[in-house]
Structure formats: structure tokens, C-alpha cells
Amino acid sequence: MMDSPDYNTIFAFKTKQLAIMIIKEFSKLPHNEAFSVIRKQIFRSSTSMAANYRAMCRARSKTERFSKISIVIEETDETLFWLKMLEELEYV
């Protein structure tokens, strides 16, 4: 019988990879005042998503786990918001 995949490890890796990809790709784009504000926000939300998912994996209680995953959901939604904002402003 095959072992089931460790979804926490997979998701922790993928959220970190997403944050890294965002930082690398958006660092290449031009620097102007409006874009710089959005770039900073998306860097913060994507790295917070990854860091809080990692923290959720190490939670000491169900309450702490729920709190951390709630932050992950909020930061993921904020990252999506900034990505859509960039798309609508035609920066990407």
C-alpha cells in the first residue's frame, strides 16, 4: 500500500514557491510610484501567506492551527486582490 502524500509539506512548499516566483517576477518590472506601492503589498501578502502556512503546520493546538490557517486564507485572498489589481491596471 502506498503512503499518502503529506499535504502539509506539499502546500508549504508550493506557497513558498509562489512567494519566490512573485518576488522574482515583479522585481523585474519597472519602478514607478503606483506600481511600487502595489509591489510592496503583494510581496508582503504572498510571503505572509507562505510563512503563516508553515506556522500552521507547527501549531500546538487546534485553536492555534485554526488561527494560522485563517491568516493564510486572508493573505491568499489579499495576494489575489493585488494580482487582479495589477491585471486591471494593465501592469501585467
Side-chain angles (χ1 to χ4, degrees):
M1 188 164 134
M2 253 178 97
D3 290 336
S4 63
D6 179 2
Y7 290 108
N8 283 336
T9 301
I10 293 167
F11 283 24
F13 176 78
K14 289 194 176 280
T15 56
K16 184 175 85 174
Q17 288 304 110
L18 176 61
I20 289 168
M21 183 192 71
I22 286 170
I23 291 168
K24 283 182 177 180
E25 292 304 315
F26 290 120
S27 292
K28 297 175 188 175
L29 296 173
H31 289 270
N32 66 49
E33 188 176 348
F35 184 67
S36 292
V37 169
I38 295 171
R39 181 188 348 248
K40 185 185 286 188
Q41 291 298 110
I42 199 168
F43 284 1
R44 287 180 179 169
S45 64
S46 64
T47 56
S48 177
M49 171 189 60
N52 278 289
Y53 191 86
R54 182 179 168 94
M56 186 277 308
C57 293
R58 288 158 178 70
R60 295 170 295 219
S61 68
K62 286 184 180 183
T63 304
E64 185 179 357
R65 185 177 176 90
F66 180 79
S67 175
K68 292 295 181 186
I69 199 66
S70 295
I71 295 168
V72 171
I73 292 166
E74 182 180 345
E75 296 296 342
T76 303
D77 184 60
E78 184 177 342
T79 300
L80 181 59
F81 170 81
W82 292 118
L83 288 169
K84 288 183 179 204
M85 181 77 79
L86 290 170
E87 181 181 49
E88 289 178 28
L89 288 168
E90 299 178 356
Y91 284 123
V92 294

